[in-house]
Amino acid sequence: MTNSLFSDFETLIIIGIIIALTICFALVFKYLSRKKINTLVQTKHIDPTSYVFATKLITAIIFIIGISFALIQIPEMKTLGHSLLAGAGILSLVAGLASQQALSNIMSGFLIVIFKPFKINDRITFNQTYTGTVEEINLRQVVLRDFENNRIVVPNSVISSNVIVNTNLNDTRVCKMIEIGIGYNSDIGRALKIMEEEVIKHPLHVDNRTAEDLENDVPEVISRVIALGNSSVTLKVWAYSDNASNGFVMYCDLLRSIKERFDKENIEIPYNYQNVIIRETK
């Protein structure tokens, strides 16, 4: 009886040591990997998506191996421990414990990392509703950070089966279209020229012309009359910036500067108003 108790106590100590070593090894590996990835991102400007995903996967494998060694110490669980180590029982165990949706998320995560429809730090719009910057891609989900600093958590299988707008896939430049209506009595040519001048002198504006455009003397900024409304002539100018954030700032600034120039040069921006007629009754 004493030998049995001593044996059980010894087994518990061994299991505790294995679990402690597993946790320590996993944490050290995770810390070193994160440090290495950050260094590579800062020095070589690599895409961290694949490396972060691989770190999470290897960390999970470390825990599986550690648990397997712990199970081997228990006579009744030896078979399960050996099967986990051999790899024969891993898929069966996952299939038995995880739902079909969880497995789908894992597979979708692999496909996202391999084919890269988006990567960490890309700004995407998902399901025509949610827009944010990709902050994390793991085995189960994608985490987006929106403009209000909220986190949007989307399962991998869901985001893989929906249309995604990626503003950073090949080119980060963004085009902002500014539409303003002016009065029919205003100088249309002068108004178009003012809009073009304000875009060109804005510090966040970038020249989007190709080499062929420069050769053919295409203007740096193009503006057009796009509609003749009931009470106004609608003008549009196209302004490019190097990324979405700067594009939004530029758009806001241009609305103000164009309005101020119009006011100075007597370009009317019409607005709705009503005439009230009061008749005297006899």
Side-chain angles (χ1 to χ4, degrees), residues 197-230:
E197 289 172 355
E198 291 302 312
V199 171
I200 289 173
K201 73 181 185 181
H202 196 282
L204 296 179
H205 161 72
V206 296
D207 190 346
N208 192 55
R209 291 176 295 178
T210 62
E212 186 179 351
D213 291 337
L214 292 170
E215 220 174 278
N216 296 326
D217 294 325
V218 174
E220 183 177 347
V221 176
I222 296 175
S223 60
R224 293 281 186 269
V225 176
I226 62 166
L228 299 176
N230 292 330

Side-chain angles (χ1 to χ4, degrees), residues 133-239:
T133 302
V134 179
E135 201 169 60
E136 182 182 358
I137 303 172
N138 57 42
L139 291 171
R140 182 187 176 277
Q141 64 209 13
V142 173
V143 180
L144 306 179
R145 175 172 48 83
D146 67 10
F147 293 114
E148 296 179 348
N149 209 36
N150 299 314
R151 269 38 177 203
I152 304 167
V153 180
V154 188
N156 291 334
S157 60
V158 174
I159 202 166
S160 293
S161 59
N162 278 270
V163 175
I164 299 166
V165 178
N166 187 345
T167 59
N168 302 110
L169 189 58
N170 293 315
D171 191 350
T172 61
R173 287 175 296 181
V174 62
C175 177
K176 287 295 183 180
M177 294 171 284
I178 302 168
E179 292 184 18
I180 298 178
I182 64 171
Y184 273 91
N185 293 326
S186 298
D187 187 337
I188 295 176
R190 184 59 190 151
L192 291 172
K193 189 67 176 175
I194 289 171
M195 294 172 74
E196 292 170 6
E197 289 172 355
E198 291 302 312
V199 171
I200 289 173
K201 73 181 185 181
H202 196 282
L204 296 179
H205 161 72
V206 296
D207 190 346
N208 192 55
R209 291 176 295 178
T210 62
E212 186 179 351
D213 291 337
L214 292 170
E215 220 174 278
N216 296 326
D217 294 325
V218 174
E220 183 177 347
V221 176
I222 296 175
S223 60
R224 293 281 186 269
V225 176
I226 62 166
L228 299 176
N230 292 330
S231 59
S232 66
V233 179
T234 306
L235 312 181
K236 178 185 280 191
V237 67
W238 288 261

Side-chain angles (χ1 to χ4, degrees), residues 10-282:
E10 185 180 358
T11 301
L12 287 174
I13 292 176
I14 294 172
I15 291 173
I17 292 172
I18 291 173
I19 292 174
L21 288 174
T22 301
I23 294 172
C24 289
F25 186 68
L27 291 176
V28 169
F29 170 76
K30 197 172 181 180
Y31 170 76
L32 293 176
S33 297
R34 187 177 299 171
K35 190 175 179 181
K36 182 65 175 177
I37 291 170
N38 290 337
T39 303
L40 290 173
V41 169
Q42 292 173 3
T43 57
K44 297 187 177 180
H45 307 288
I46 63 163
D47 171 24
T49 306
S50 303
Y51 294 94
V52 173
F53 190 84
T55 299
K56 293 179 183 295
L57 182 62
I58 294 171
T59 303
I61 292 172
I62 290 171
F63 277 111
I64 290 174
I65 293 173
I67 291 170
S68 301
F69 276 111
L71 291 174
I72 289 173
Q73 308 307 314
I74 305 171
E76 292 82 359
M77 304 295 287
K78 260 187 180 179
T79 304
L80 179 59
H82 282 299
S83 63
L84 282 174
L85 280 175
I90 293 178
L91 292 177
S92 300
L93 182 63
V94 171
L97 297 177
S99 65
Q100 184 179 0
Q101 187 65 37
L103 291 173
S104 177
N105 286 331
I106 293 172
M107 288 305 300
S108 297
F110 276 108
L111 294 175
I112 289 171
V113 171
I114 291 171
F115 292 105
K116 294 184 179 178
F118 55 85
K119 56 187 183 296
I120 291 174
N121 295 326
D122 278 4
R123 181 175 172 271
I124 66 172
T125 298
F126 157 69
N127 204 24
Q128 298 182 348
T129 306
Y130 304 106
T131 299
T133 302
V134 179
E135 201 169 60
E136 182 182 358
I137 303 172
N138 57 42
L139 291 171
R140 182 187 176 277
Q141 64 209 13
V142 173
V143 180
L144 306 179
R145 175 172 48 83
D146 67 10
F147 293 114
E148 296 179 348
N149 209 36
N150 299 314
R151 269 38 177 203
I152 304 167
V153 180
V154 188
N156 291 334
S157 60
V158 174
I159 202 166
S160 293
S161 59
N162 278 270
V163 175
I164 299 166
V165 178
N166 187 345
T167 59
N168 302 110
L169 189 58
N170 293 315
D171 191 350
T172 61
R173 287 175 296 181
V174 62
C175 177
K176 287 295 183 180
M177 294 171 284
I178 302 168
E179 292 184 18
I180 298 178
I182 64 171
Y184 273 91
N185 293 326
S186 298
D187 187 337
I188 295 176
R190 184 59 190 151
L192 291 172
K193 189 67 176 175
I194 289 171
M195 294 172 74
E196 292 170 6
E197 289 172 355
E198 291 302 312
V199 171
I200 289 173
K201 73 181 185 181
H202 196 282
L204 296 179
H205 161 72
V206 296
D207 190 346
N208 192 55
R209 291 176 295 178
T210 62
E212 186 179 351
D213 291 337
L214 292 170
E215 220 174 278
N216 296 326
D217 294 325
V218 174
E220 183 177 347
V221 176
I222 296 175
S223 60
R224 293 281 186 269
V225 176
I226 62 166
L228 299 176
N230 292 330
S231 59
S232 66
V233 179
T234 306
L235 312 181
K236 178 185 280 191
V237 67
W238 288 261
Y240 283 85
S241 190
D242 57 351
N243 59 57
S245 298
N246 287 340
F248 178 74
V249 173
M250 179 185 68
Y251 175 79
C252 296
D253 290 347
L254 287 175
L255 287 177
R256 176 176 178 175
S257 64
I258 292 172
K259 170 66 169 60
E260 290 173 347
R261 283 285 304 278
F262 279 5
D263 290 343
K264 283 181 182 178
E265 305 202 24
N266 297 319
I267 304 291
E268 179 196 4
I269 298 178
Y271 55 89
N272 294 329
Y273 60 90
Q274 293 179 336
N275 289 330
V276 179
I277 301 174
I278 300 175
R279 292 183 178 177
E280 293 183 4
T281 57
K282 293 181 180 180

